[in-house]
Amino acid sequence: MCGFTISSQKNVEISEILKCRGPDNFSKIEFDDISFNFARLKIRDLSDKSNQPLVNERYIVSFNGEILNIESLKKQFKISGEFESDTLFLIEYLNKHKDELSLFDSIRGFYSLVVYDKKNKNFLIARDYLGIKPLYLEILDEEFTLSSVPTRKFHKELNSGNINKLITYRFLDYKTKNEIFDGIEIPPGFNKWLSLEEILNFNFINFNNNYENNVFSKFNKIYRKKNTKNLFENIENKLIDAVNINLISDVNIGIFLSGGTDSSLLTALASKEIGNLNTYSIIYKDYKYDESSFQDIISKKFKTNKHTFEETENSYVESFSNASKFSHTPLLIPNYVSLFNLAKEAEKISKVVLTGEGADEIFGGYYVFRDILRYQVLNLIPSINISLSKKYNQQKTFMNDVNKKYLDELLPTSENFNLYDVKSISDVFFHERNNYLKGLLGRADQMTMGNSIEARVPFLDQDLVREVDKLPMNQKVGIRKRKKILHEIASKYLPSEIIERPKIGFSVPIVNWYSQKSELYNLFNEQINNNSSLHELFDKEKVKVILKKAENDPDILENVIFPIVAVGLWL
């Protein structure tokens, strides 16, 4: 796990944010008037021979991530030799199969990479199929930069409607994000050799539409498969294998344990392979959503070495600004800061953590899956015609009608946002995977790498996801039950009180802290009254009026005022 910047601009150096992604080694080389900067976090093969950029007589390789199935890939592509690192393997693969990119369909792991071919003067640009690792392209005055971190700026021509859309939905599709922020986020699943001219003329919108249509077509074909023989057993075995392959490391591995089904199941499976497994949990003392009792159940059952971080108002406020530095977009969700602090705690012992991201999107864990399925069933009645798109978009916004009215007063827009088209429950799975999940993966990557720690996501293992996608819909979600097959698997390993507990999400006591009129109260008022950059986007006096109303309305505080403050701290 690392970070890199490759640029044709002059005097490009390794930024402080990039250094946090890889503090173990910093390297820079220049070739053909292109600078290759690399910051390495040593996870596998801790020797200096795997430092990057890795150079041979033809290629310069910059690779961020992990290829976890090197041994099977060697057999598949008939490559001999011992490779201590994935980058050394990539070099050998390119030597033998330069123009054959089918490798990327077979990699288990997560990555973004850029390879420069010194002979042909072109670039191989690739990103894993779900976008677990970041990669950005920025063009300025006929010069390019490919990087693990963006410039973190709004477009100069940004309009109020775009900011309104960002705060309304928080997690956006790639097309919309690239209308709001500088730089182009390379789409997931991209892998192609590009000339310098093609990079400078990269058409994100056309490519992204083709990508989504291609993925959507494959996705719906998969859902038509009805053969479920041995499917339950296959998925359980794939999940066990996914956890085991993600335990490959030359440094200490731990798990972020929330006490929910997903992280608890990861703990159960990983503890079979690692004794005294380190788990890291966050608690909020005297908060109604505190999950420490569930964390204790799992830790005791699987004999883990439990590490607990108690988030307080003080620790939260102290880290808010620092966490914002590492985020590629404003921290519009309160739990980003707490995840940053949990990673800071984990980094004292572990360089790698497993997290439960992806389980809800792949297995159908959110209430929106169940709700849209119910509406779809009701639409079978001839006299009923419920718009699934409208219902889905309503559930994906963070705004009720009152809050939206306040936001529209601050940020006038003529648009009636309806970002996502939904005709059936399969569309919900598609949008959750290709939009909402991307926000969660960005959160996990940025908040952990800001503390020089690698987050791995076993539920998004490529082999596991492909197997789960074969499930007919009624095996994933029902009108009463969510995440059906995963709960069935989990029941073999976890106590019933974990599986049957209500889903509450990662909640932070923002309202409780603010009502005490102490540190968080002071931070909010300071930003709203004195942040001149924020005043360029929002009318100060109008925000102050809404802030006054928020003192008696927790929903306004969390869903209007908090994101405004988050934008201010990010600017």
Side-chain angles (χ1 to χ4, degrees):
M1 185 64 66
C2 315
F4 60 77
T5 296
I6 298 163
S7 182
S8 60
Q9 297 183 44
K10 305 299 182 186
N11 304 315
V12 174
E13 300 293 338
I14 299 176
S15 68
E16 291 304 312
I17 292 176
L18 194 66
K19 285 180 178 179
C20 284
R21 295 188 69 90
D24 296 331
N25 178 264
F26 308 128
S27 299
K28 178 180 179 178
I29 64 171
E30 294 196 7
F31 191 88
D32 286 348
D33 294 324
I34 301 168
S35 64
F36 301 80
N37 293 275
F38 203 91
R40 184 185 177 201
L41 181 66
K42 295 182 178 180
I43 301 296
R44 297 170 65 194
D45 182 19
L46 308 184
S47 70
D48 288 341
K49 65 183 177 182
S50 291
N51 288 345
Q52 298 186 55
L54 203 59
V55 184
N56 71 359
E57 62 278 1
R58 180 162 181 180
Y59 300 111
I60 301 174
V61 178
S62 298
F63 178 86
N64 169 28
E66 306 282 356
I67 298 175
L68 299 171
N69 61 328
I70 290 177
E71 291 305 314
S72 65
L73 293 174
K74 284 165 57 178
K75 294 177 182 177
Q76 181 178 347
F77 295 100
K78 297 179 173 55
I79 295 174
S80 59
E82 295 299 321
F83 306 102
E84 293 85 356
S85 76
D86 27 34
T87 317
L88 291 168
F89 167 77
L90 271 174
I91 285 274
E92 191 58 34
Y93 176 85
L94 290 168
N95 287 337
K96 191 169 184 177
H97 303 285
K98 191 260 182 184
D99 295 317
E100 177 54 63
L101 300 183
S102 60
L103 168 71
F104 297 108
D105 291 329
S106 302
I107 289 177
R108 296 177 66 187
F110 40 92
Y111 57 87
S112 60
L113 67 90
V114 177
V115 178
Y116 181 60
D117 184 335
K118 295 186 283 186
K119 178 181 177 182
N120 293 335
K121 310 298 182 186
N122 60 357
F123 300 80
L124 172 60
I125 300 173
R127 192 176 180 201
D128 64 69
Y129 82 116
L130 282 174
I132 298 168
K133 290 295 108 186
L135 184 58
Y136 295 87
L137 169 63
E138 295 170 21
I139 309 294
L140 180 65
D141 298 329
E142 294 301 303
E143 303 289 349
F144 78 90
T145 300
L146 286 156
S147 182
S148 304
V149 295
T151 56
R152 297 176 68 255
K153 293 179 181 177
F154 288 125
H155 281 327
K156 290 180 180 178
E157 65 272 19
L158 183 72
N159 60 56
S160 61
N162 279 336
I163 292 286
N164 191 315
K165 189 183 298 184
L166 178 67
I167 292 177
T168 298
Y169 279 94
R170 313 291 162 90
F171 298 115
L172 299 172
D173 61 290
Y174 283 111
K175 180 178 180 297
T176 306
K177 283 176 67 177
N178 286 313
E179 292 171 351
I180 296 176
F181 300 100
D182 270 347
I184 297 168
E185 188 169 357
I186 299 296
F190 185 88
N191 54 81
K192 194 172 183 180
W193 285 99
L194 298 177
S195 67
L196 178 57
E197 182 180 0
E198 288 173 318
I199 289 176
L200 294 175
N201 293 285
F202 189 88
N203 190 320
F204 170 82
I205 295 176
N206 286 346
F207 174 81
N208 198 51
N209 287 340
N210 291 338
Y211 163 76
E212 287 195 354
N213 290 337
N214 184 41
V215 171
F216 209 3
S217 175
K218 289 181 180 178
F219 190 77
N220 281 323
K221 285 178 182 176
I222 286 172
Y223 269 102
R224 287 196 288 270
K225 295 181 179 179
K226 298 297 183 182
N227 182 10
T228 59
K229 184 180 180 182
N230 301 323
L231 209 48
F232 174 89
E233 184 179 344
N234 290 345
I235 290 174
E236 181 180 10
N237 290 336
K238 292 289 186 184
L239 176 58
I240 293 170
D241 185 49
V243 171
N244 290 345
I245 202 170
N246 274 278
L247 295 176
I248 296 173
S249 172
D250 293 329
V251 296
N252 187 277
I253 290 184
I255 290 183
F256 281 169
L257 174 63
S258 69
T261 299
D262 307 331
S263 63
S264 297
L265 183 54
L266 291 182
T267 302
L269 297 176
S271 65
K272 292 179 177 293
E273 303 297 322
I274 298 178
N276 297 315
L277 178 68
N278 288 300
T279 57
Y280 303 95
S281 303
I282 196 161
I283 63 170
Y284 305 95
K285 193 173 181 181
D286 300 324
Y287 181 46
K288 63 179 180 178
Y289 294 127
D290 176 63
E291 298 180 273
S292 56
S293 61
F294 300 109
Q295 296 159 5
D296 288 340
I297 290 170
I298 295 302
S299 183
K300 289 175 183 175
K301 179 173 178 60
F302 299 105
K303 300 179 173 61
T304 74
N305 188 13
K306 182 187 177 190
H307 306 271
T308 299
F309 173 74
E310 182 183 337
E311 182 81 287
T312 64
E313 181 181 10
N314 175 262
S315 64
Y316 189 91
V317 170
E318 279 190 349
S319 293
F320 202 154
S321 179
N322 196 31
S324 295
K325 286 194 312 184
F326 294 99
S327 180
H328 301 172
T329 59
L331 298 179
L332 301 176
I333 309 295
N335 60 35
Y336 276 57
V337 182
S338 290
L339 182 61
F340 181 83
N341 282 335
L342 183 61
K344 186 191 303 183
E345 188 71 14
E347 191 272 335
K348 297 173 184 177
I349 298 172
S350 300
K351 260 189 168 182
V352 176
V353 291
L354 306 188
T355 79
E357 266 83 7
D360 286 315
E361 291 78 13
I362 302 304
F363 287 92
Y366 298 125
Y367 288 109
V368 70
F369 289 105
R370 180 202 64 188
D371 294 345
I372 295 300
L373 182 62
R374 287 176 175 176
Y375 294 129
Q376 185 176 332
V377 171
L378 284 171
N379 278 343
L380 295 174
I381 301 171
S383 60
I384 294 178
N385 183 21
I386 299 169
S387 170
L388 301 185
S389 294
K390 182 178 180 179
K391 291 294 185 182
Y392 179 74
N393 280 276
Q394 285 174 343
Q395 290 206 37
K396 297 314 295 181
T397 71
F398 285 71
M399 294 282 164
N400 60 29
D401 290 342
V402 173
N403 291 345
K404 192 66 171 71
K405 180 182 177 182
Y406 287 133
L407 187 63
D408 289 346
E409 289 175 2
L410 289 172
L411 300 165
T413 177
S414 59
E415 291 187 67
N416 180 19
F417 303 138
N418 233 8
L419 284 186
Y420 308 119
D421 183 32
V422 174
K423 295 183 175 63
S424 70
I425 185 66
S426 67
D427 294 345
V428 177
F429 275 92
F430 175 78
H431 290 310
E432 291 298 306
R433 181 183 301 190
N434 287 282
N435 298 308
Y436 189 70
L437 177 60
K438 300 304 184 294
L440 297 182
L441 292 174
R443 176 190 70 175
D445 175 81
Q446 295 149 33
M447 297 300 97
T448 54
M449 291 304 288
N451 289 287
S452 307
I453 188 171
E454 174 179 290
R456 297 182 179 181
V457 284
F459 285 113
L460 298 179
D461 172 76
Q462 189 156 298
D463 283 6
L464 173 62
V465 172
R466 284 172 172 164
E467 198 68 20
V468 175
D469 282 349
K470 296 175 185 176
L471 279 172
M473 200 57 60
N474 63 3
Q475 294 293 312
K476 281 191 170 186
V477 62
I479 60 174
R480 291 185 178 86
K481 293 187 69 174
R482 302 164 291 107
K483 208 153 52 176
K484 290 169 65 175
I485 196 165
L486 190 63
H487 281 163
E488 191 174 345
I489 293 170
S491 67
K492 296 177 62 175
Y493 301 91
L494 302 177
S496 59
E497 57 262 49
I498 298 296
I499 299 171
E500 295 171 4
R501 57 171 294 205
K503 184 175 183 61
I504 61 172
F506 190 171
S507 182
V508 180
I510 295 297
V511 174
N512 298 30
W513 291 336
Y514 187 85
S515 66
Q516 296 169 16
K517 296 195 173 182
S518 184
E519 295 167 86
L520 193 69
Y521 179 91
N522 293 336
L523 174 68
F524 280 26
N525 281 271
E526 169 68 22
Q527 287 294 310
I528 288 170
N529 284 300
N530 300 321
N531 188 328
S532 58
S533 296
L534 192 62
H535 300 157
E536 293 178 12
L537 296 174
F538 300 93
D539 184 294
K540 174 181 175 180
E541 296 307 317
K542 287 183 179 179
V543 176
K544 288 171 67 175
V545 170
I546 297 172
L547 179 63
K548 188 68 177 176
K549 295 178 182 294
E551 293 184 5
N552 298 310
D553 190 327
D555 201 55
I556 297 175
L557 184 72
E558 284 197 89
N559 292 310
V560 181
I561 296 299
F562 180 91
I564 290 173
V565 171
V567 169
L569 287 167
W570 183 80
L571 289 169

